[in-house]
Amino acid sequence: MYDVLVIGGGAAGFYAAIHIAEKRPNTKIAILERGKDVLTKVKISGGGRCNVTHAEFNPADLSKNYPRGEKELLGPFHTYASGDTVGFFEERGVALKIEEDGRMFPVSNSSQTIIDCFISEADRLGVQVKTLCSVNGIEQIVEEGVKKWKVAVGESFMYCKKLILATGSNPKMWKYIEALGHTVVPPVPSLFTFNIKDERISNIPGVATHAEVNVIPKKNFGKKTGKTKLDASGLSSDGPLLVTHWGMSGPAILKLSAWGARILEQYNYQFKIQVNWVPDYHQNGLLELFLKVKQVEKKTVLRTKVLDIPKRLWANLVKAAGIDDTTTWPEVSKQQLTSLSEQLTAGIFQVNGKSTFKEEFVTAGGVDLKEINFKTYESKILPGLYFAGEIINIDAITGGFNFQNAWTGGFIAANGVVEGLNANIQK
């Protein structure tokens, strides 16, 4: 019999358990992890450096990085946000640093620093960590008029007063939650890169530049498929775009995949995007610039650095506009320059499929947000059951935001559990 069982030995689970143990010493707590290792996602995140959080300290602005959960997280972020996370780690001797794009990492540049911090804190506070504990059943029972949780682990059972589920995107756990009466929003991938075969980018992997990307909506899509039509108009993103061996990646693409997760899944990952490689310009303005250059420049179009974009990309787009290597500015036609302006500001690319972005796999979907009290992260359907992390229908763009959701949820769930346990004693 435990006071608290936390199912899931990841970021949210450890954060919740540590805060409960700290606020309420002598509480009997165990973390149950199905694998042989805990904190595996922490270990591989950020290329092994662990992107702990993001240096966005304003709760309203912070919440805007969540395609699902923006409204629900506003209150929780006023309670516990990025600044509190930084304080938590610094109090435990783990210094964090801010990189140019706002991402925050441990100064050590090693995720092991974060893992060691959690494991030593759990150990210091007496939290039991049990690995290879695969849960295969959850039910709420009543004994002597008191509700408690019965958790099946292997051939045996464990019991607790309060239960926290922090199992991430685990289909098995979602089934148990549905059996208990909760609604689970069907999961679809988020944070993925686009597979594109196109001569304009085929021979330039590694090229990166700031770009604006728009998804081109499919006309009458919902009618033809019989699915509920999700509107892709206005689905756009901007930021660094990276050309890869298989297509396009980088923050601009990843953000688009997160915001469009459900729409792009409906499209079966077959759709068109429009790319503006020079977001400071629109097509007509760029054409005007080229016509001015034509009046003064004598060199070839290919060898003239008119815009601040990578040379190899410029060369490919010049070729795509029908301008050969030897054409000089005096020789180039207005029609060719119009085509070049279009290639640069409104190039259309066909996407055929997606690829998982490194190990940063994130899912859109999970426990329906309407069924959770975000003041405590407790179930509105089953008192004494709490959720934290990616098990609920919240996900973010890249940059440390998914971890911040785990820390905030873990902290507030811990507060809810402590209040609940204390209230039981007073009764």
Side-chain angles (χ1 to χ4, degrees), residues 64-123:
K64 287 186 172 72
N65 295 285
Y66 296 82
R68 283 143 292 273
E70 177 181 348
K71 179 167 62 78
E72 289 79 7
L73 284 172
L74 190 54
F77 282 158
H78 274 98
T79 301
Y80 197 92
S82 310
D84 303 291
T85 301
V86 174
F88 171 88
F89 286 108
E90 288 189 341
E91 282 164 22
R92 289 156 182 80
V94 179
L96 303 181
K97 61 177 178 176
I98 304 172
E99 301 208 334
E100 272 184 35
D101 56 6
R103 292 182 303 159
M104 298 191 74
F105 293 88
V107 169
S108 66
N109 275 329
S110 170
S111 56
Q112 196 59 44
T113 308
I114 305 298
I115 294 168
D116 292 345
C117 171
F118 282 146
I119 289 173
S120 66
E121 279 295 276
D123 191 45

Side-chain angles (χ1 to χ4, degrees), residues 14 24 50 66 88 91 121-122 156 168 178 198 201 231 236 260 302 318 329 331 346 351 359 378 424:
F14 264 83
R24 199 174 184 276
C50 187
Y66 296 82
F88 171 88
E91 282 164 22
E121 279 295 276
S156 60
E178 283 182 311
D198 192 292
I201 60 169
D231 189 11
S236 67
L302 180 69
V318 166
W329 282 95
E331 295 168 340
V351 178
E359 302 87 1
E378 186 174 19
N424 288 351

